[in-house]
């Protein structure tokens, strides 16, 4: 498995493409006017406490108030009259209007919803995550080797004691997956960086009197170098010389081990054309995704969930029907995992695999889906395949999907995905003309509509139009307006 990271920079946006074995797996877009907020730390002020929702709205100095649920309010063991291990207390016992607090964004504003917050602050570096209000040293669950977990925890504990004298008052630390195999010197470098950063952040917070930004996370390009690069990345190409120099400086300070693979791309051919990234992005906006066998999957994003339907299409197989279905589902499982990453689909996802009669086939398809999701950076949870062939799963959502970033609601269908036929609109016009003629008794009437509707009234429905004029006793005039949408029309009384 080989990975290549392509970083495309323009004044308006930064685009990061993660390519595995020549195939695009992820695309991340950050625009200068709408940069993501996840990871940012704010001085917030409680504006409303809603006991009925067990939540509060927080003013963080942005246009929209942010949302803080009781489950995201960190409970301190020294908080009086609250047992931390019991059920979460009511939100109105923890917060009050006008209260100031330090909060961090854990989910970007999505649609009409404001950003989601937590009071449990975490600040990541390359190998560590600092939890200022924490008390323990933890290790990423993705580091499975017990010996390595113990080594890392011991090494970090010893260096903290050496730096601070004891563990008291230091806060909590989490060893990230990237820390596997690193030595004490690298951990010490990260630890000192995080402590300096927190000290500066605390000073800035104390100096602020109004809600606002205290700490802004790194821009997308540098955040990618810090967070998402694994052992399989062979090359990082950046097409902006300025960003390249910033990346090199950042790598020298934070991730020196990746310096040999960071390079500037000076070519005249756009960097995203090297792997047909632009075409892949266009395909990722389509509902239908073709499979190599001839089958296909259909992806629909709705308000509540994303649904994915698997179909055999033109694939007829070579043996039995059950074998054809099984092979299509296996291929679809891998394609679905890629599409979830590529489109950044999150929340509840329902996958409708083709019904499989063999229980063993259902188990193997479920295993194939889980294997394909292992390389996904977002946390996922997958339920077993039901007897109907449905799989319920969730994928952590922290930012908008690719479709929501690049697209807006269709002004023609208003998001329905379909429009009324010209025939339907013509019959609506007939009914409204009849009502208006009886109610207002005009001398004549003018129908203004789109070209497709007027053409139908003049051709296929010309007989019906003549009969209508004779019935109401009022002459009808027709007029095309090229700016009218297929469903739009007006009837003018004259």
């Amino acid at each position: 498995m080989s990975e290549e990271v392509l970083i495309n920079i323009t004044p308006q946006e930064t685009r990061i493409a993660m390519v595995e074995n020549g195939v695009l797996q992820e695309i991340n877009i950050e625009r200068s006017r709408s940069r993501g907020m996840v990871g940012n730390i704010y001085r917030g002020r409680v504006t409303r406490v809603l006991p009925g929702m067990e939540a509060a709205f927080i003013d963080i100095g942005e246009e929209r108030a942010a949302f803080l649920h009781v489950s995201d309010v960190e409970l301190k063991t020294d908080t009086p009259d609250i047992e931390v291990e019991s059920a979460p207390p009511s939100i109105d016992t923890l917060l009050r209007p006008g209260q100031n607090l330090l909060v961090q964004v854990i989910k970007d504003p999505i649609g009409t919803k404001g950003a989601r917050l937590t009071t449990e602050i975490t600040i990541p570096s390359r190998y560590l995550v600092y939890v200022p209000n924490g008390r323990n040293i933890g290790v990423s669950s993705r580091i499975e080797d017990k010996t390595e977990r113990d080594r890392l925890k011991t090494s970090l504990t010893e260096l903290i004691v050496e730096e601070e004298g004891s563990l008291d008052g230091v806060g909590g630390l989490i060893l990230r997956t990237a820390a596997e195999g690193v030595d004490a010197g690298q951990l010490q470098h990260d630890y000192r960086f995080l402590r300096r950063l927190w000290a500066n952040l605390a000073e800035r917070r104390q100096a602020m009197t109004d809600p606002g930004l205290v700490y802004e996370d790194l821009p997308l390009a540098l955040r990618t170098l810090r967070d998402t690069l694994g052992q399989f990345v062979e090359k990082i190409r950046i097409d902006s010389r300025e960003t390249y120099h910033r990346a090199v400086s950042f790598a020298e300070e934070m991730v020196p081990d990746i310096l040999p693979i960071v390079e500037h791309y000076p070519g005249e051919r756009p960097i995203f054309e090297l792997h047909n990234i632009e075409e892949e992005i266009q395909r990722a906006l389509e509902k239908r995704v073709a499979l190599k066998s001839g089958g296909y999957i259909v992806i629909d994003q709705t308000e509540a969930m994303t649904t994915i339907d698997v179909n055999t299409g033109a694939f007829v197989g070579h043996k039995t029907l059950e074998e054809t279905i099984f092979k299509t589902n296996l291929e679809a499982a891998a394609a679905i995992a890629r599409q979830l990453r590529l489109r950044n689909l999150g929340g509840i996802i329902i996958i409708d695999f083709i019904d499989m009669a063999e229980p063993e086939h259902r188990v193997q398809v479920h295993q194939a889906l889980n294997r394909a999701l292992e390389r996904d950076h977002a946390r996922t949870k997958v339920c077993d395949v039901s007897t109907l062939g449905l799989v319920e799963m969730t994928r952590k959502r922290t930012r908008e999907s690719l479709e929501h970033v690049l697209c807006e609601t269709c002004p023609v269908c208003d998001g329905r995905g379909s429009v009324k036929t010209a025939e339907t609109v013509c019959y609506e016009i007939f009914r409204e003309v009849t009502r208006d003629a009886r109610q207002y008794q005009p001398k004549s009437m003018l129908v203004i509509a789109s070209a497709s509707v007027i053409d139908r009234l003049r051709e296929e429905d010309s007989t019906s139009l003549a009969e209508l004029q004779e019935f109401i006793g009022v002459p009808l005039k027709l007029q095309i307006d090229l700016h009218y949408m297929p469903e739009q029309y007006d009837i003018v009384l004259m």
Side-chain angles (χ1 to χ4, degrees), residues 299-494:
I299 302 174
D300 273 305
Q301 287 183 251
T302 69
E303 186 75 20
M305 67 183 71
T306 297
T307 61
I308 303 176
D309 184 37
V310 182
N311 299 277
T312 55
F315 181 48
V316 296
H318 303 288
K319 296 181 181 179
T320 63
L321 174 61
E322 177 66 19
E323 191 68 21
T324 301
I325 291 172
F326 176 52
K327 288 184 176 179
T328 303
N329 283 339
L330 281 179
E331 186 181 5
I336 288 168
R338 174 175 176 259
Q339 290 297 323
L340 294 182
R341 290 178 63 186
L342 182 57
R343 299 170 187 240
N344 192 34
L345 298 174
I348 300 173
I349 299 164
I350 306 296
I351 306 172
D352 182 12
F353 285 106
I354 306 170
D355 291 346
M356 293 169 283
E358 295 289 335
E360 179 61 27
H361 286 174
R362 291 198 289 270
V363 171
Q364 290 186 45
V365 168
H366 182 264
Q367 292 174 343
L369 179 60
N370 276 305
R371 283 195 303 272
L373 289 169
E374 286 178 355
R375 297 194 59 76
D376 195 339
H377 300 296
R379 187 170 66 248
T380 58
K381 181 179 179 181
V382 184
C383 299
D384 292 335
V385 182
S386 71
T387 54
L388 297 177
L390 298 177
V391 170
E392 300 173 22
M393 67 169 288
T394 60
R395 184 174 185 269
K396 186 176 180 180
R397 175 170 56 190
T398 58
R399 54 187 172 88
E400 296 272 22
S401 68
L402 183 66
E403 179 181 328
H404 287 156
V405 170
L406 300 180
C407 305
E408 62 182 4
T409 301
C410 172
V412 177
C413 69
D414 197 27
R416 294 201 314 269
S418 59
V419 294
K420 295 176 183 176
T421 63
E423 181 181 21
T424 300
V425 177
C426 286
Y427 295 164
E428 287 182 359
I429 290 173
F430 288 165
R431 290 192 293 271
E432 188 167 336
V433 164
T434 303
R435 287 195 304 270
D436 289 352
R438 289 175 176 175
Q439 185 173 356
Y440 302 109
Q441 298 179 350
K443 294 182 179 180
S444 64
M445 304 174 77
L446 172 66
V447 178
I448 306 173
S450 64
S452 59
V453 172
I454 298 298
D455 288 346
R456 184 175 180 90
L457 289 172
R458 288 172 174 168
E459 296 172 6
E460 292 97 323
D461 287 324
S462 58
T463 302
S464 298
L465 184 65
E467 292 173 350
L468 177 62
Q469 290 186 87
E470 184 178 353
F471 175 72
I472 63 176
V474 176
L476 294 173
K477 299 179 181 178
L478 306 179
Q479 179 178 315
I480 293 175
D481 192 315
L482 298 178
H483 296 97
Y484 274 38
M485 300 298 180
E487 295 183 6
Q488 186 180 1
Y489 64 87
D490 284 307
I491 298 175
V492 181
L493 307 181
M494 306 172 70

Side-chain angles (χ1 to χ4, degrees), residues 24-37:
L24 177 65
Q25 298 294 331
E26 283 186 39
I27 182 74
N28 200 346
I29 299 173
E30 181 176 86
R31 289 177 171 164
S32 55
R33 292 186 178 180
S34 56
R35 184 174 166 184
M37 299 169 62

Side-chain angles (χ1 to χ4, degrees), residues 33-176:
R33 292 186 178 180
S34 56
R35 184 174 166 184
M37 299 169 62
V38 172
N40 290 356
I41 299 174
Y42 293 84
R43 183 183 193 270
R45 180 174 295 152
V46 180
T47 56
R48 293 178 64 194
V49 177
L50 306 173
M53 295 178 61
E54 289 294 358
F57 285 107
I58 314 294
D59 177 11
I60 58 173
E62 299 290 334
E63 291 183 8
R64 277 187 289 182
F67 181 82
L68 177 63
H69 189 263
V70 67
S71 61
D72 295 314
V73 178
E74 185 178 32
L75 302 180
K76 298 180 180 179
T77 54
D78 57 355
T79 301
D81 304 322
I82 293 178
E83 295 182 8
V84 177
E85 295 183 359
S86 63
S90 175
I91 189 72
D92 54 4
T93 65
L94 300 174
L95 302 176
R96 65 183 185 280
Q99 179 180 350
N100 294 316
L101 66 165
L102 196 65
V103 291
Q104 186 170 34
V105 177
I106 57 175
K107 184 180 292 187
D108 276 332
I110 296 177
T112 58
K113 299 177 182 178
R116 181 157 178 172
L117 306 175
T118 180
T119 61
E120 185 173 357
I121 307 301
T122 57
I123 307 174
S125 64
R126 175 60 171 164
Y127 304 118
L128 302 173
V129 175
Y130 182 47
V131 187
N133 297 325
R135 296 189 173 187
N136 302 314
I137 295 177
V139 184
S140 168
S141 60
R142 293 194 176 186
I143 300 178
E144 299 178 352
D145 184 82
K146 186 178 184 303
T147 303
E148 177 64 6
R149 292 173 65 87
D150 292 341
R151 183 193 73 82
L152 287 169
K153 195 168 184 178
T154 300
S155 181
L156 183 57
T157 301
E158 289 176 349
L159 79 85
I160 293 175
V161 172
E162 182 181 341
E163 293 273 336
E164 312 291 347
S166 72
L167 297 177
D168 296 337
V170 172
L173 286 158
I174 301 170
L175 287 142
R176 307 183 70 179

